[in-house]
Amino acid sequence: MRKYDIKNKRNIGIIIGISVLIIIMFSLIIKLFLSFDKKEYTVYTGSLVFDKDKSIVKIKENGIIKKKWNNDYYLIYDDKNILLGDSAISYNEDTGEIILYGKYYEIGAGDSIDITDGETVIKNSALTKFYKLADRKYLVVDKEIKSLDGLLSTSEFLMVDLDKVGNATLTNHKVSLKTFSPTTIVTSNYTFDIANEILTYGSNKIDLKKIIGSSNKYTKEDLVPSESNDNSINNGVTNITDNSNASTGGGNNSSGGNNSGDGSNLGSGNSNTVIQEVKKATKRTSVISTYSTTDKINVNYVIYDPKKEYTSVYMEVHEIGTNKIDTIYLNSNDTGYVISNLFPNTTYNLTFKYSYLDENNEVSTDTFDNINVTTKKPKISIKVTSVSFGNIKYLITSDNSYDIDSATLKVFVNNEEVSSTTISINGNTVNDIYVNTVLDDNVELLLTDVKSNGKVIKDVKSSYKFKY
């Protein structure tokens, strides 16, 4: 039998080691290849596609978007492979559809994130949305998008690329500009402080730097909440859900509610941890935070009364624009209350008071906080499912966060209103309507005057446009 000397044994060991390494690397490459998004997505005529440098490619004949081995998306069009980057966006001027490609983090008003990957179709920009794409990259979606200083006014969507010192490049199909001073974007449902990466829904502030991180170097000291006037503390969004949205139940148009212990049933994650720590440290009676949904307002508070001097602590709930004021007494042993059965997209003034006996043994009352909180708008969408000889079938969908019973459906042909009908809305059902049209007519279905219990919900509407 042949004997191997030390040198041969070493060489055999090296060969075996290299072979094992090659097998491992090959396995990792196969695994990585199998994990790629190998789907091809059709980009239809009339679409605008933004390349990696945010230049617009106008699609005159159908093209293809696909992801390649380097994890970047490419537009295959006009015999060219156009680099789009690790995420991409297209906008169809004819249908109004916004289509996202790649991983996007949709950030809502609550403590949750909806992660989408691959192709995401936004049928209508009337449904306000906000996305984080990556470090210092964001997407704003709304029918009307403005800057707080009034220098920017656009619509549909806006891509925001932030540099490390707080300047931003703002781009869509209508504008392309760079800011050199702190800019705040305002939509129908939220504001976005770009330089500080702060998203605000009503009184709820979300620190976007805490979502997948940020290399932003811009700082502003007065972002630190002051004890005297900050009524909303939210230290980041942490509940992350893949392809799902949280929803809450509906209610009627009347004030009411329940004590909820720590008042945390409308919010969760790190924000609750922060609220609890603030409550423990607070040595005065105060409101810690407020948070709203379509029909509820959650209040976190502290009653600090070590000498048992208060005869009562309560809040007055005033629906702005009406004479309706409800008085709700707060339990000193609790730290949270949920005001329920409120109306969507309605502003309520909350006045917090406590009473006590003064030195003359008479009842006196002091106000310790006063806050305006607006409930959220329910989401509703209309889309056409089929068209045949003037008979248009359409589908109305909502997020089921609030009961909607009726609306006005207006039909426009070539921008001229041809009909206006009150329709009942009962779940997600397909309905139809006849419209006298000819080939190439531009048709729009506009859903407006959306009602609940016979009352119009302010600023809730949806439309769908198509060419017959």
Side-chain angles (χ1 to χ4, degrees), residues 336-385:
Y337 193 93
V338 178
I339 312 167
S340 59
N341 300 325
L342 303 177
F343 201 72
N345 200 27
T346 301
T347 300
Y348 294 86
N349 175 256
L350 311 181
T351 303
F352 297 85
K353 299 180 178 181
Y354 58 78
S355 59
Y356 58 94
L357 296 177
D358 62 17
E359 57 187 13
N360 297 320
N361 208 33
E362 294 180 352
V363 176
S364 294
T365 302
D366 282 347
T367 297
F368 64 89
D369 225 325
N370 188 287
I371 306 168
N372 282 347
V373 183
T374 302
T375 50
K376 301 294 184 288
K377 292 190 292 186
K379 295 179 180 180
I380 190 167
S381 176
I382 183 171
K383 70 175 181 179
V384 172
T385 59

Side-chain angles (χ1 to χ4, degrees), residues 14 57 162 247 401 413:
I14 292 173
V57 181
L162 182 65
S247 62
S401 66
V413 177

Side-chain angles (χ1 to χ4, degrees), residues 222-227 229-230 232-233:
D222 63 8
L223 280 177
V224 178
S226 63
E227 185 182 40
N229 59 18
D230 187 16
S232 175
I233 298 177

Side-chain angles (χ1 to χ4, degrees), residues 212-447:
I212 67 173
S214 177
S215 56
N216 185 2
K217 303 300 183 184
Y218 180 87
T219 58
K220 185 177 180 183
E221 291 183 358
D222 63 8
L223 280 177
V224 178
S226 63
E227 185 182 40
S228 61
N229 59 18
D230 187 16
N231 296 312
S232 175
I233 298 177
N234 190 321
N235 202 34
V237 179
T238 56
N239 290 343
I240 300 178
T241 306
D242 281 307
N243 297 316
S244 64
N245 284 304
S247 62
T248 58
N252 299 316
N253 183 25
S254 62
S255 293
N258 60 287
N259 284 313
S260 58
D262 63 359
S264 61
N265 59 322
L266 294 184
S268 55
N270 281 351
S271 57
N272 274 338
T273 302
V274 173
I275 287 170
Q276 298 309 317
E277 291 303 317
V278 171
K279 287 175 180 176
K280 292 176 184 178
T282 298
K283 299 300 181 184
R284 65 186 181 91
T285 298
S286 59
V287 176
I288 302 302
S289 69
T290 59
Y291 172 76
S292 67
T293 63
T294 52
D295 65 338
K296 297 180 179 69
I297 296 175
N298 184 95
V299 180
N300 285 286
Y301 63 88
V302 168
I303 297 177
Y304 185 70
D305 185 21
K307 297 181 180 180
K308 308 298 181 184
E309 296 173 316
Y310 300 153
T311 56
S312 64
V313 181
Y314 58 95
M315 60 178 167
E316 295 175 341
V317 182
H318 175 209
E319 181 180 336
I320 300 298
T322 72
N323 294 323
K324 184 179 180 180
I325 300 177
D326 288 338
T327 300
I328 299 172
Y329 288 89
L330 302 176
N331 190 329
S332 60
N333 295 320
D334 290 323
T335 57
Y337 193 93
V338 178
I339 312 167
S340 59
N341 300 325
L342 303 177
F343 201 72
N345 200 27
T346 301
T347 300
Y348 294 86
N349 175 256
L350 311 181
T351 303
F352 297 85
K353 299 180 178 181
Y354 58 78
S355 59
Y356 58 94
L357 296 177
D358 62 17
E359 57 187 13
N360 297 320
N361 208 33
E362 294 180 352
V363 176
S364 294
T365 302
D366 282 347
T367 297
F368 64 89
D369 225 325
N370 188 287
I371 306 168
N372 282 347
V373 183
T374 302
T375 50
K376 301 294 184 288
K377 292 190 292 186
K379 295 179 180 180
I380 190 167
S381 176
I382 183 171
K383 70 175 181 179
V384 172
T385 59
S386 66
V387 179
S388 177
F389 300 104
N391 190 57
I392 302 174
K393 291 186 179 297
Y394 62 89
L395 172 67
I396 297 174
T397 59
S398 68
D399 62 0
N400 297 320
S401 66
Y402 197 81
D403 292 332
I404 296 171
D405 49 48
S406 67
T408 299
L409 177 62
K410 295 184 178 182
V411 181
F412 296 83
V413 177
N414 298 325
N415 297 321
E416 181 180 348
E417 184 177 327
V418 298
S419 70
S420 179
T421 309
T422 299
I423 60 172
S424 297
I425 300 176
N426 184 19
N428 300 336
T429 57
V430 176
N431 301 288
D432 59 0
I433 188 171
Y434 179 79
V435 179
N436 186 17
T437 59
V438 296
L439 192 63
D440 290 333
D441 274 347
N442 292 309
V443 182
E444 178 186 8
L445 271 60
L446 174 64
L447 198 66

Side-chain angles (χ1 to χ4, degrees), residues 159-184:
M159 293 177 283
V160 180
D161 287 8
L162 182 65
D163 65 22
K164 292 185 178 181
V165 293
N167 302 319
T169 301
L170 311 176
T171 312
N172 66 5
H173 57 306
K174 297 178 181 179
V175 301
S176 180
L177 58 91
K178 176 130 187 208
T179 67
F180 293 97
S181 60
T183 301
T184 297

Side-chain angles (χ1 to χ4, degrees), residues 31 45 117 164 400:
K31 183 178 179 181
T45 302
D117 208 346
K164 292 185 178 181
N400 297 320

